[in-house]
Structure formats: C-alpha cells, structure tokens
Amino acid sequence: MAVMSSPAVATAPGAAPAKKSVNFANLGVGATMNMFEVTTLGQPFEVIKTHLAANRQDSMVTAFKKIYQRGGISGFYQGLIPWAWIEASTKGAVLIFAASEIEYVALGSGISPFAAGLLGGMGGGLAQAYTTMGFCTFMKTVEITRHKAVGDVAQKSTFAVASDIFKREGIRGINKGVNAVALRQCTNWGSRLGLARLAEESIHKLRGIDHSRALNTWEKIAASAVGGGLSIWNQPIEVIRVEMQSQLKTAGRPEKMTIANCARWIWQTNGLKGFYRGSVPRFGLGMWQTICMVAGGDALKKYVNDNYGKK
C-alpha cells in the first residue's frame, strides 16, 4: 500500500471537489515504505504464508523447518530480489494515481468521503494487480514453490525460470493467476483502508478525543494493526491465488487453472480448512504492512512535507 493524502477535497458543502495534483514526494514515500516493509518482516511472512497455502498438509512447524532447510535464514527471503523489490518500488505509485482519480470522480458524485476512499482503495488495488503486481507476484510464488536443487546440482536462476515459462506459455504464463491477484488486492485495500479508518474513528470516540486532533503515533499504530489484521477475511482468495501460481506438481491437479476449478480442487483435496491455510502468517503480514504503510507512511510523509515541502 502506498500512503495517500486526500487526493480530492471539497471546497465547500455541495461544491465540486477541488482536484489536487499528484504529489511526487508522496510517490517516493510510498515506494520507500513498501521497500522497508517487504525487506524487514514482510517477505518472511509472505514466504511462510505462501508455503502453507501451497503445501496445505504442512503444519506451521513443518513449514519453518522446510523453509530453513532450503537456505537457512535466506530461505525466508526467497523472491525478495528482484521480484518483491520491483513490485514494492512500483505499486505504490500506481495505487496513489488510480485512487486519486477514482476518489475525485466519486466525491464529485456526492457520496461520502469514506465511501469515496473505499472505492479509491478498491480501484487502486485493481490497478496495481493488472499493471505492476501480476508478473512480480507470480514470480515470487514460483521462487517459493518451485523445486530447489540440492548438493552439487546446479539450479536455474530466477530469470531463466521466467524465460522458460514465457517460452512455453507466453505472456499469459507469466501473468498466471493475475485475476486472483486483482480480486485479492481489490478486497485487501478496500478492507484495510476502511477498517483502519473505522478503528481510528473508534479510538476517537472511546478516548473522547476531538476529531480535529490527529491521533498520536501509538494510536495510529494500533488502528493500523486492527485494520491490517482483520483484513485476512479474504484468505480463501489468497489460497486460490497461490494454488494457481504454484509450481508444485500433484496428481489430479488441473493443468489449466481458473479461479473456479482451482477452488474446486482445493475443496476436493483439503475441504473448507484448505481455504484458510496460511492465515496466521498472513495476519502478521497484514498488520505489519498496514502499520508500515499507514502509521509509518503518514509519519514519513509529514517529515518530508515539513522539511522539503514548498514553503
């Protein structure tokens, strides 16, 4: 997620919203916070979550052991370079731009700022998936789920794997599962932004804080953690996305997967509980991402604007 200031603000009750130009400093803030998030706790949570979603028979302990056996501590950072870094450094800009335009139009139609922000987050999530995230998310999953050579047997580089997939399946092959990614991002950002803002509103009411006063750092972190943690309600979509992009070969698994036949396959092999594999690490990932992007991002944005903004 990128940090978003309100991209469209109504100048007076009933007046058309005055559109603000894209703040390029905020684009840099979004990219910076995304890079920080994924390079610290983000990628380990992502690797554990993806492993459990793809290997639904494994326990959390087994997942830790297998990941560590693949490469020690570095095993928890598979897919970070270059795919997660490419994704993190680009998706924030797409989100801000798309959400800005959608929110401007939505406010102009007369709906509430909360609803406009919700629509902006959903639209921004869709834009992320279909522009920068589809390929990168697929390649991260490939790195985490593909067979790893052991001993003296050389294994292909990540770029060689991408090249092989492109030669076999073309552009569709390297964007496999992008529709599931889009559905995940749309629901992710709609719920994360909405629930975080709802949590902020609740803190104001519970503590009797005037709405004109901004929450302090710890209050913002708490609200962001609540919003990020509760956004795991769409975990079934994430499990379907991982299965569609997984490189694990299983007898009976459909060769050409759609969201529908992938969901049937998960149900047939693991039942209802299969759709919730990886929920625990994704809970941690959602909290960490939202804390970094909302609480941390707001703080960094304020610092940048105070020190380097127009005087």
Side-chain angles (χ1 to χ4, degrees):
M1 172 183 174
V3 182
M4 289 185 291
S5 57
S6 180
V9 181
T11 54
K19 188 177 179 183
K20 294 172 66 177
S21 60
V22 175
N23 187 331
F24 290 101
N26 285 347
L27 300 185
V29 168
T32 299
M33 293 310 301
N34 268 291
M35 291 288 285
F36 171 78
E37 175 270 318
V38 76
T39 307
T40 51
L41 296 178
Q43 192 62 13
F45 277 131
E46 179 75 20
V47 170
I48 299 166
K49 174 203 72 176
T50 302
H51 179 97
L52 287 170
N55 302 271
R56 292 182 293 278
Q57 75 285 354
D58 286 357
S59 67
M60 183 76 76
V61 173
T62 302
F64 269 88
K65 287 181 178 177
K66 287 184 177 179
I67 294 168
Y68 188 81
Q69 287 170 357
R70 287 205 297 260
I73 296 300
S74 64
F76 292 90
Y77 287 88
Q78 287 174 332
L80 177 66
I81 302 171
W83 310 117
W85 275 5
I86 294 172
E87 179 185 87
S89 61
T90 56
K91 66 181 181 180
V94 173
L95 181 67
I96 286 181
F97 178 79
S100 163
E101 299 302 314
I102 294 169
E103 192 170 2
Y104 170 66
V105 173
L107 284 172
S109 71
I111 68 173
S112 70
F114 170 78
L118 185 65
L119 288 174
M122 292 171 66
L126 288 172
Q128 282 182 316
Y130 287 118
T131 54
T132 66
M133 288 189 68
F135 174 55
C136 292
T137 301
F138 173 60
M139 287 311 303
K140 285 194 301 180
T141 305
V142 168
E143 278 299 285
I144 294 167
T145 61
R146 72 186 176 105
H147 174 72
K148 301 298 188 298
V150 294
D152 296 328
V153 181
Q155 62 174 307
K156 292 182 179 179
S157 71
T158 183
F159 290 103
V161 172
S163 177
D164 285 349
I165 293 171
F166 182 77
K167 288 175 183 177
R168 288 197 316 268
E169 305 177 50
I171 193 68
R172 288 192 176 188
I174 59 175
N175 277 284
K176 191 180 297 179
V178 69
N179 290 331
V181 173
L183 186 58
R184 182 196 69 176
Q185 289 305 103
C186 177
T187 52
N188 267 1
W189 293 123
S191 58
R192 283 178 182 173
L193 276 171
L195 291 170
R197 298 314 178 202
L198 182 61
E200 290 177 3
E201 179 74 10
S202 299
I203 291 173
H204 273 104
K205 290 180 179 178
L206 289 172
R207 301 197 61 185
I209 302 171
D210 189 273
H211 284 74
S212 62
R213 182 180 80 76
L215 298 180
N216 64 36
T217 299
W218 291 109
E219 290 165 341
K220 289 281 290 183
I221 288 174
S224 298
V226 169
L230 293 180
S231 67
I232 66 163
W233 65 268
N234 65 355
Q235 179 65 10
I237 299 171
E238 174 66 357
V239 174
I240 291 171
R241 190 275 303 173
V242 171
E243 184 63 37
M244 290 179 73
Q245 296 179 335
S246 174
Q247 298 300 290
L248 296 176
K249 304 300 180 184
T250 307
R253 184 176 184 266
E255 282 296 321
K256 294 185 177 180
M257 279 197 166
T258 64
I259 291 176
N261 68 20
C262 182
R264 282 197 298 270
W265 167 250
I266 294 169
W267 176 266
Q268 290 168 1
T269 55
N270 300 100
L272 181 62
K273 66 179 182 180
F275 290 98
Y276 291 90
R277 298 296 293 153
S279 294
V280 173
R282 187 159 183 250
F283 181 83
L285 176 62
M287 290 180 64
W288 181 242
Q289 285 180 332
T290 314
I291 287 171
C292 287
M293 298 295 116
V294 177
D298 283 351
L300 180 57
K301 182 175 64 178
K302 184 178 184 302
Y303 174 82
V304 171
N305 288 339
D306 288 348
N307 291 274
Y308 304 103
K310 294 179 180 180
K311 303 297 183 182

